[in-house]
Amino acid sequence: MSGLGLFFAVLGAALAAGVAGAGSAKGVGIAGQAAAGVVTDDPSQFGRVLVLQLLPGTQGIYGLLIAFIALLNLGVIGGNVQEISLVKGLAYFAACMPIAIAGYVSAVFQAKAAVASIALAAKRPDQFGKSMIFPSMVETYAILALLVSFLALIGVNGMSF
């Protein structure tokens, strides 16, 4: 065995965690800058803006979850590494890509929506509930990507090729 199948499968898992995590780090950073500006003017807003800042962080968690499932299925976690074909390794790689790509993109765009919502919550604290909806709508696409990656991993794990 050349190990290429396992290489691509582990690469997919690493990208799911790494790329989605990078998007979350960037998103939380962008929203954090806006939150810090609000708290500078009004420290009582800390709790509200913190919630909005943290929203782009979920994509990194989703990517980590998919990576964990892939590595568990491969036996990398647990020390029982499975020998897999190149085709199956590429299928694992492909299964991890939806959350890697959509996780990164949605985290960055969710941060932009969170920045606007932080400004809304700062100017109109009574509208905090409504301000949560805007960045939460972006979350929908990260959840859809999580679902696709999860279902694809289940399918790949059950296939024999």
Side-chain angles (χ1 to χ4, degrees), residues 70-95:
L71 295 173
L72 194 60
N73 287 348
L74 293 165
V76 173
I77 296 174
N80 187 22
V81 179
Q82 304 290 318
E83 186 172 320
I84 62 170
S85 68
L86 176 59
V87 172
K88 193 166 187 174
L90 289 170
Y92 267 102
F93 179 86

Side-chain angles (χ1 to χ4, degrees), residues 3-92:
L4 277 176
L6 184 61
F7 170 78
F8 280 110
V10 172
L11 178 62
L15 289 173
V19 174
S24 282
K26 183 174 182 173
V28 170
I30 290 168
Q33 290 173 344
V38 169
V39 173
T40 297
D41 290 338
D42 184 1
S44 71
Q45 294 286 341
F46 176 76
R48 287 190 173 121
V49 298
L50 178 64
V51 170
L52 291 164
Q53 182 206 357
L54 292 175
L55 287 176
T58 56
Q59 287 83 341
I61 296 168
Y62 301 157
L64 184 63
L65 176 64
I66 290 301
F68 180 77
I69 292 168
L71 295 173
L72 194 60
N73 287 348
L74 293 165
V76 173
I77 296 174
N80 187 22
V81 179
Q82 304 290 318
E83 186 172 320
I84 62 170
S85 68
L86 176 59
V87 172
K88 193 166 187 174
L90 289 170
Y92 267 102

Side-chain angles (χ1 to χ4, degrees), residues 20 81 98 120 136 142:
V81 179
L120 170 60
S136 296

Side-chain angles (χ1 to χ4, degrees), residues 48 52 55 113 116-118 120-121 124-137:
R48 287 190 173 121
L52 291 164
L55 287 176
S117 292
I118 287 167
L120 170 60
R124 307 265 321 260
D126 60 313
Q127 298 299 309
F128 176 71
K130 291 178 183 175
S131 73
M132 289 283 295
I133 292 175
F134 303 121
S136 296
M137 294 304 296

